[in-house]
């Protein structure tokens, strides 16, 4: 890790903040994909339960059994719908994380560039340390 990404005097540097914001965006995207896979599993399980319930009804299997399978289908569909809300939240997290990185860059990028390209000797770290 170089000097621009280290914490100085307990404060997080600009570069470290940008890296954390970018990492947060990546993690939010990864979480969204995992949640989407979970939704697909709920839908698959629900479709299987519905198929079994309908097949058992045609074979005159007892009503409590066919009803139980249809309840599994209904619950699976409800869970899949609930996952949609989580996916929407993950979308918001990803968007916010990307916005945070862009806002940080806009607010502090100019100062970081000036610090990197300046020709003035900076104060000794021990001098400016709390």
């Amino acid at each position: 890790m170089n000097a621009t990404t280290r914490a100085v005097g307990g404060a997080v540097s600009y570069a470290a903040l940008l890296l954390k914001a970018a990492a947060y965006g990546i993690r939010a995207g990864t979480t969204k994909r995992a949640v989407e896979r979970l939704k697909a599993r709920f839908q698959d399980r629900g479709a299987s339960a519905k198929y079994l319930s309908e097949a058992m009804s045609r074979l005159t299997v007892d009503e409590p059994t066919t009803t139980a399978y249809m309840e599994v289908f209904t619950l699976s569909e409800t869970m899949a719908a609930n996952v949609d809300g989580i996916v929407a939240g993950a979308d918001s997290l990803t968007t916010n994380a990307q916005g945070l990185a862009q806002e940080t860059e806009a607010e502090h990028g100019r100062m970081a560039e000036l610090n990197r390209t300046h020709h003035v000797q900076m104060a000794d770290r021990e001098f400016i340390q709390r």
Side-chain angles (χ1 to χ4, degrees):
M1 183 161 47
N2 64 31
T4 60
T5 58
R6 265 186 259 159
V8 178
V12 176
S13 72
Y14 159 75
L17 183 61
L18 269 183
L19 288 174
K20 286 183 182 204
Y24 185 79
I26 291 167
R27 285 193 307 267
T30 301
T31 300
K32 177 186 173 190
R33 287 187 296 279
V35 169
E36 287 171 335
R37 286 191 303 272
L38 179 64
K39 176 185 174 184
R41 281 190 216 120
F42 278 126
Q43 289 172 327
D44 288 346
R45 299 315 184 283
S48 293
K50 182 178 181 182
Y51 170 80
L52 289 170
S53 176
E54 291 170 350
M56 285 186 233
S57 292
R58 287 189 194 107
L59 296 171
T60 61
V61 173
D62 61 291
E63 188 175 324
T65 301
T66 58
T67 300
Y69 274 91
M70 195 52 80
E71 286 176 12
V72 169
F73 162 71
T74 302
L75 290 172
S76 295
E77 288 295 304
T78 301
M79 293 299 291
N82 289 337
V83 170
D84 280 338
I86 295 169
V87 169
D91 282 340
S92 294
L93 281 174
T94 302
T95 302
N96 289 340
Q98 290 167 346
L100 172 65
Q102 291 168 350
E103 190 173 319
T104 302
E105 176 73 34
E107 290 290 322
H108 303 286
R110 188 173 143 265
M111 184 61 73
E113 181 62 25
L114 290 172
N115 282 339
R116 191 170 48 253
T117 60
H118 75 285
H119 300 294
V120 177
Q121 183 176 355
M122 295 297 286
D124 186 14
R125 286 185 193 269
E126 282 120 27
F127 175 75
I128 59 174
Q129 196 171 12
R130 292 181 200 199

